[in-house]
Amino acid sequence: MEAGTLLRSAVPLSPTRRRFVSRPNSVRASLSPRGGYQGPRPKREWVADWVSKNDDFVRSLPIYVGGASLFAVLFNRTVSGIAPVADASSSQSRADLLTLGLAVTNILNGLVWLSIRPKSISVVNPNGVECQRIYHDLPDPVISELIWAWESLSDVTCCRSLVVIYDGICILQIGFADISNSNGSEPMVVDTDKLMKGSLYNGVLKSGSQSYLANLALYPGKSELPFLPSNTQAKIISLGSYLATPWG
């Protein structure tokens, strides 16, 4: 699930409308009379697709290469009539030792690739209650834009919570939220003062770029977001938008 948005810049809540002029070098896409799409096609990465489909084989490939190299060196030394004992003065022995070292390195590398695999993130149901809190002094156009943004995010992404903070005020808390300790059925209220004093918010404010924590359980900053569901798995924080996630 993804959550929230931190808005801090002094942007007026009722911005004036601007007229946008189309540029001659714009990309065009249209539908043909038969309903076919006419426009830029996505570029396909054949190598990346093949690797993703043959993940087990690619991870085992260094073992195969290292084993074949090791067998080839031993076979060559056997049929060439060279003494089995390595001789430092022989260039062949030095080459064989180097090849053996590379072969063993390949085998160990393959074993490491097989033992370390990325953890797959599965969709979960947020542990919390649904809420929709909107600041009462917002104009109707701003409210409609915020609701539209939330509906767009929740429909096309895994975002399950959204929090918008403007000028130190939480103007929107929507989606799933953790249950309040004082009232077991009410969603927890966002404490903006505590949130804006925390390391997560100040880190984004200092860097000027968004922060994406793909595995929130590994970061101690999770305690700064008590209003999110307890099984939130990831989050995005930026000056323009703050999204948090229990993948679902």
Side-chain angles (χ1 to χ4, degrees):
M1 159 181 127
E2 299 206 352
T5 298
L6 297 177
L7 298 180
R8 188 177 182 277
S9 55
V11 181
L13 294 179
S14 300
T16 57
R17 295 184 176 270
R18 296 182 181 180
R19 179 178 296 177
F20 295 93
V21 181
S22 60
R23 300 293 182 183
N25 294 330
S26 60
V27 179
R28 297 181 179 180
S30 62
L31 294 176
S32 65
R34 296 182 180 180
Y37 172 75
Q38 295 180 350
R41 299 288 181 179
K43 194 174 181 180
R44 188 170 183 180
E45 298 291 342
W46 297 98
V47 177
D49 291 343
W50 184 85
V51 170
S52 62
K53 293 178 181 178
N54 301 274
D55 182 70
D56 292 336
F57 173 75
V58 172
R59 290 178 179 274
S60 304
L61 190 59
I63 298 178
Y64 299 143
V65 174
S69 302
L70 186 61
F71 175 78
V73 171
L74 297 177
F75 179 77
N76 177 68
R77 196 167 185 87
T78 301
V79 300
S80 60
I82 302 175
V85 180
D87 184 5
S89 62
S90 172
S91 59
Q92 181 65 39
S93 296
R94 293 195 295 270
D96 290 343
L97 289 175
L98 180 60
T99 307
L100 287 174
L102 294 176
V104 172
T105 302
N106 273 332
I107 294 174
L108 294 177
N109 190 33
L111 293 175
V112 171
W113 284 9
L114 289 175
S115 62
I116 301 177
R117 294 176 179 271
K119 181 182 178 182
S120 59
I121 299 178
S122 58
V123 177
V124 299
N125 294 322
N127 294 332
V129 293
E130 293 193 47
C131 71
Q132 180 174 327
R133 291 192 176 109
I134 302 176
Y135 189 59
H136 55 83
D137 286 341
L138 292 180
D140 291 339
V142 176
I143 295 177
S144 63
E145 289 292 329
L146 291 173
I147 297 298
W148 171 83
W150 162 245
E151 292 177 349
S152 301
L153 285 172
S154 59
D155 288 342
V156 302
T157 69
C158 58
C159 180
R160 292 296 176 268
S161 298
L162 177 67
V163 175
V164 181
I165 296 178
Y166 179 85
D167 199 20
I169 301 173
C170 179
I171 61 175
L172 177 66
Q173 182 184 7
I174 195 169
F176 284 88
D178 201 3
I179 301 175
S180 176
N181 294 329
S182 58
N183 191 333
S185 60
E186 291 295 325
M188 183 175 293
V189 179
V190 178
D191 189 348
T192 56
D193 293 335
K194 180 180 178 181
L195 179 62
M196 297 178 68
K197 292 178 182 178
S199 59
L200 293 177
Y201 177 83
N202 286 286
V204 173
L205 189 64
K206 184 178 180 180
S207 63
S209 60
Q210 72 176 14
S211 172
Y212 173 55
L213 302 181
N215 194 346
L216 193 59
L218 301 178
Y219 295 89
K222 183 178 181 179
S223 59
E224 301 177 15
L225 310 170
F227 50 87
L228 295 181
S230 58
N231 59 343
T232 301
Q233 298 187 29
K235 70 171 184 61
I236 302 174
I237 300 180
S238 69
L239 294 179
S241 62
Y242 158 44
L243 306 175
T245 317
W247 290 106

